[in-house]
Amino acid sequence: AIIKTITLVNSHTANVNANIYLKKFGSVSRRIFPKDQTIVIGNKAFSSEEYTLGAGDAIEGDASVAAVVDFVISGIEET
């Protein structure tokens, strides 16, 4: 799969810091967003950097407040 865009939206009543990682199968997680990316109340963080995912690869994330960052990951799958 090829990830085309990643969008994070802050639905909290305060600013939130978020991190996004790419974890290749059998490897360690690598940060693909700036460390502790601040997302202002009601705003979004966006990346149009392309990433290629193989079998067993994963996109991971965390935030300074649980369950308040919504996300959309868009891309295509090639067979």
Side-chain angles (χ1 to χ4, degrees), residues 8 10 14-19 34-40 62-65 68-69:
L8 308 175
N10 178 1
N15 294 349
V16 175
N17 294 332
N19 296 288
K35 181 174 174 43
D36 295 328
Q37 172 76 48
T38 299
I39 309 172
V40 178
D62 61 52
S64 56
V65 180
V68 298
V69 176

Side-chain angles (χ1 to χ4, degrees), residues 1-44:
I2 299 173
I3 302 300
K4 295 286 192 173
T5 63
I6 300 173
T7 305
L8 308 175
V9 178
N10 178 1
S11 61
H12 194 40
T13 57
N15 294 349
V16 175
N17 294 332
N19 296 288
I20 300 293
Y21 310 90
L22 173 60
K23 185 172 194 279
K24 294 287 192 175
F25 179 73
S27 186
V28 297
S29 300
R30 303 283 184 203
R31 187 180 312 280
I32 58 174
F33 257 53
K35 181 174 174 43
D36 295 328
Q37 172 76 48
T38 299
I39 309 172
V40 178
I41 301 166
N43 283 330
K44 65 184 178 183

